């Protein structure tokens, strides 16, 4: 297999210039295609097949040499020396690994946030994800306070109609009344939503208080859905921001100063305690510091079902970026939680290695220089977010597997399999086996590229990994059984992405239910009393 050396061809221009992504003929990028056109595409897909020949299959628990044959969007056969049917596309995987396509469980495509909208839309974002080996994103529906969850879900589905890669949704709970409780049930039962997000930060916007956490966690438990939290103490952050601005600190350095690791650790401990009282599992997104990681470790030691997600960015970048003399360079790194001192990176890697953290993500939320400049006089107005959906897999392989922090099997676990299990789509996703979705990546462990905003496919003018040379890259990506990335070229179709329904009651709920029944509060049985009230 040919090695990909250096930077790959640039297919995405800046957001002002538009995109140069290659779309297949017959696609309808700007409107819903006629029903007969959609039918023709489905029939065409049913006849397409792909044989991946000569690779080494890597699952989270097993590695072996085999060819993989895909047809009708699923894996049909795995074995040595498989024959390619007439007309099948053959991918040479000699010297490469064949692994489950990556799942990024935390993205924000075209998110309305902090007075602007993220520059990455669902087409460009899923295309960039496919270029990096990700065959599924789980994005976030974020209703405005007092907005119907169903209404917001439909708005996000409308935006996601342009996807070229597969997608699913978490839905945020940003307020509470009986209608929210009811609509959570509708989303879980009818729309394949089995996780709900809660922001403990962003006061006066989407932050929820502890009473909402407890009510929503209880509802999640009833529905068999996984509650997730953004763990930062929003009240403390708000007061620290105010104090820093009064002290004359207006630059990007104020962002990290206002959100120290302790505010994340406190919120993680609080969310874990509430989940423990409710008896629900809990998934904590973008764990960035050892304070929060230690809270998860303590809870798991005590038997709680708590899961931690780590961002590729937090594993590599440290807080020195906020002291850069170039304001835009510093502002380009503003995200929440912020980047931490280097000692936290070692803790996060250790968490992935020892199982305290189970998944990796990116919190992909792109804002270009002109958007970041909205906060030039006030760091609290810098839109929070960085890119990463294209680079996560390569960074984790290069900095993880190549440096002995992860085995190839552990790489599969933290980039796909664990996520698929937690969110109940395993082994449909997260595993190379007959009957699973043909969502695969052919991984070249020796290929190299240099990450740069000048060559990436993400629709943003900044990259936090700028100049990082990675060893281990995506040589080919197979989505819905078709090769959509190969030899540095994308072949994607707007609107081709499928919405992935995630069933409720992941397997963890069997154990949760039994344990909750054993620990269920019960009244004390007493003998009849002779006490008579006066």
């Amino acid at each position: 297999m040919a090695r990909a050396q250096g930077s790959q061809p640039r297919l995405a221009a800046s957001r002002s210039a538009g995109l140069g992504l290659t779309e297949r003929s017959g696609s309808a990028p700007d409107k819903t295609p006629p029903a007969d056109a959609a039918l023709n595409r489905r029939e065409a897909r049913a006849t397409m097949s792909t044989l991946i020949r000569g690779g080494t299959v890597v699952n989270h628990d097993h590695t072996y040499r085999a060819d993989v044959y895909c047809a009708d969007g699923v894996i049909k056969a795995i074995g040595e020396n498989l024959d390619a049917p007439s007309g099948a596309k053959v991918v040479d995987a000699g010297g490469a690994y064949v692994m489950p396509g990556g799942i990024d469980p935390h993205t924000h495509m075209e998110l309305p946030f902090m007075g602007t909208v993220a520059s990455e839309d669902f087409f460009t974002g899923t295309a960039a994800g496919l270029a990096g080996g990700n065959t599924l994103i789980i994005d976030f529906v974020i209703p405005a306070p007092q907005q119907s969850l169903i209404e917001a879900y439909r708005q996000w589905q409308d935006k996601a109609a342009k996807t070229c890669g597969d997608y699913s949704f978490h839905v945020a709970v940003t307020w509470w009344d009986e209608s929210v409780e009811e609509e959570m049930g509708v989303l879980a039962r009818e729309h394949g939503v089995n996780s709900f997000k809660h922001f403990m930060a962003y006061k006066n916007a989407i932050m929820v208080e502890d009473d909402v956490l407890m009510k929503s966690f209880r509802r999640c438990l009833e529905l068999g859905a996984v509650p997730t939290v953004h763990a930062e103490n929003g009240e403390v952050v708000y007061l620290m921001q105010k104090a820093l601005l009064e002290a004359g600190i207006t630059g990007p350095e104020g962002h990290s100063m206002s959100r120290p690791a302790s505010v994340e650790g406190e919120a993680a401990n609080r969310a874990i305690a509430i989940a423990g009282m409710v008896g629900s599992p809990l998934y904590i997104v973008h764990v960035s510091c050892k304070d929060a990681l230690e809270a998860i470790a303590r809870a798991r030691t005590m038997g709680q079902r708590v899961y931690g997600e780590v961002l590729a960015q937090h594993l590599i970048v440290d807080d020195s970026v906020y002291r850069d003399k170039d304001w835009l360079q510093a502002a380009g790194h503003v995200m929440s939680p912020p980047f931490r001192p280097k000692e936290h990176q070692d803790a996060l890697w250790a968490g992935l290695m020892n199982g305290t953290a189970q998944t990796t993500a990116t919190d992909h939320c792109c804002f270009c220089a002109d958007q970041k400049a909205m906060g030039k006089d006030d760091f609290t107005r810098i839109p929070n977010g960085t890119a990463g959906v294209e680079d996560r897999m390569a960074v984790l392989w290069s900095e993880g597997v190549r440096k002995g922090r992860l085995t190839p099997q552990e790489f599969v676990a933290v980039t796909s399999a664990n996520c698929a299990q937690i969110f109940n789509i395993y082994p449909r996703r997260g595993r190379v086996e007959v009957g699973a979705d043909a969502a695969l990546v052919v991984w070249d462990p020796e290929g190299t590229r240099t990450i740069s905003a000048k060559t990436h496919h993400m629709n943003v003018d900044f990259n936090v990994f700028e100049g990082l040379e990675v060893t281990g890259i995506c040589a080919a990506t197979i989505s819905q059984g078709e090769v959509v990335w190969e030899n540095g070229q994308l072949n994607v179709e707007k609107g081709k992405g499928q919405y992935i329904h995630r069933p409720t009651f992941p397997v963890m709920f069997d154990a949760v239910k039994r344990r909750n029944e054993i620990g269920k509060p019960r009244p004390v049985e007493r003998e009849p009393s002779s006490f008579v009230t006066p």
Side-chain angles (χ1 to χ4, degrees), residues 154-186:
R154 289 172 178 157
Q155 289 175 347
W156 257 261
Q157 282 286 18
D158 287 344
K159 291 189 287 187
K162 64 177 76 72
T163 58
C164 57
D166 295 342
Y167 68 101
S168 193
F169 284 128
H170 310 282
V171 175
V173 173
T174 56
W175 63 292
W176 190 263
D177 72 3
E178 291 181 358
S179 70
V180 173
E181 185 174 25
E182 174 58 29
E183 290 187 340
M184 289 173 70
V186 173

Side-chain angles (χ1 to χ4, degrees), residues 208-221:
V208 294
E209 303 289 352
D210 292 355
D211 61 328
V212 174
L213 293 181
M214 192 154 193
K215 291 171 184 175
S216 186
F217 287 9
R218 282 175 173 165
R219 183 59 169 154
C220 287
L221 185 62

Side-chain angles (χ1 to χ4, degrees), residues 111-152:
L111 172 70
F113 189 53
M114 296 183 71
T116 187
V117 178
S119 61
E120 192 87 88
D121 69 24
F122 277 90
F123 173 53
T124 62
T126 51
L130 291 170
N134 294 281
T135 53
L136 176 64
I137 63 167
I138 309 181
D139 207 86
F140 288 83
V141 174
I142 304 182
Q146 310 308 311
Q147 183 184 19
S148 158
L149 272 62
I150 301 294
E151 178 186 50

